Amino acid sequence: MPGLKEVQYYLAGLWLLIRMDPRGFRFLDLSERGVNRSFWAMVWCLPPMGISWLWWRQAFLRSMPPEADVDFAFFIRLGLVEVANWFVPLVLAGLLLLAFRMGERFAPIVVSVNWLWVPLSYINGVLLALVSFLPGTVGFVSLLLLAFMLAQVFVLARILRMICHDHALMVGALTLVLLVPSMILSEYLQHFLGIYPA
């Protein structure tokens, strides 16, 4: 598992790419080994995922009778949703790249997107923690969450632009493929698995 210093090194590379500096690629391991190691980002995201799961549990229980409770299986199902949300957009992005004969861009996208989710997950976790522990901040945090969603689109598009260069349509398509399906899939799976607030 990559240590903190290695993760910081990767994030420094992403920051350069967001600033449209091609030197950022030097900080990322784009080899096959680097692609495989980038999925350790899921482990780094577990703490903020835990916060979001606890927040979801609260929302779920508020919609249920007072005596209702959830067991460990509830969190297993949430974990399945997270795994699907992590892998399905990447698979769709890979299929899109193959269809347009740009498969060589897949490795940089996987590495960049996987490590990008680490800081984004922590920011999301902090915002959800504010809602959970300071209920009076719901309105303000909702605005922050909206701004955060827009920032996600902006940051992801900047990185994809560095990877795909002047292919503006591909950048737009990949941005949608990496963000929109996870939103749709989340709601579908939550309903299917019985963990969506009534």
Side-chain angles (χ1 to χ4, degrees):
M1 176 176 166
L4 178 59
K5 287 186 178 179
E6 187 175 349
V7 174
Q8 289 174 333
Y9 192 75
Y10 295 147
L11 296 184
L14 291 178
W15 177 243
L16 289 173
L17 293 180
I18 292 167
R19 296 173 59 189
M20 309 302 288
D21 187 339
R23 291 179 299 171
F25 289 114
R26 301 177 192 171
F27 290 74
L28 301 175
D29 184 356
L30 303 179
S31 66
E32 183 178 347
R33 176 178 179 270
V35 171
N36 293 333
R37 282 171 60 80
S38 71
F39 286 99
W40 281 106
M42 294 182 70
V43 177
W44 277 94
C45 290
L46 285 177
M49 279 183 193
I51 293 173
S52 69
W53 293 356
L54 291 175
W55 176 81
W56 194 258
R57 174 184 176 273
Q58 281 184 338
F60 182 80
L61 290 177
R62 279 197 297 268
S63 69
M64 302 295 286
E67 67 277 4
D69 200 0
V70 297
D71 56 13
F72 187 68
F74 179 85
F75 296 102
I76 295 293
R77 292 170 187 163
L78 283 175
L80 292 173
V81 174
E82 294 284 357
V83 170
N85 283 338
W86 198 290
F87 284 98
V88 170
L90 290 176
V91 171
L92 294 176
L95 293 173
L96 181 63
L97 290 168
L98 284 176
F100 287 89
R101 299 182 180 179
M102 297 175 67
E104 73 281 357
R105 314 288 170 95
F106 186 59
I109 287 173
V110 170
V111 171
S112 300
V113 168
N114 280 347
W115 290 118
L116 178 63
W117 293 148
V118 175
L120 294 181
S121 293
Y122 277 88
I123 293 170
N124 186 63
V126 168
L127 293 176
L128 291 179
L130 284 175
V131 172
S132 298
F133 298 110
L134 299 172
T137 63
V138 171
F140 176 66
V141 173
S142 296
L143 291 175
L144 289 180
L145 283 168
L146 176 60
F148 174 61
M149 289 175 62
L150 295 175
Q152 274 185 297
V153 175
F154 174 77
V155 165
L156 182 58
R158 297 270 287 191
I159 292 173
L160 292 173
R161 185 178 168 193
M162 290 298 295
I163 296 171
C164 297
H165 306 299
D166 296 326
H167 300 279
L169 289 177
M170 181 57 72
V171 170
L174 284 170
T175 302
L176 291 174
V177 161
L178 289 167
L179 292 176
V180 175
S182 62
M183 300 176 189
I184 299 170
L185 189 62
S186 284
E187 186 167 351
Y188 172 77
L189 287 177
Q190 286 162 359
H191 278 99
F192 179 75
L193 296 172
I195 54 174
Y196 194 85

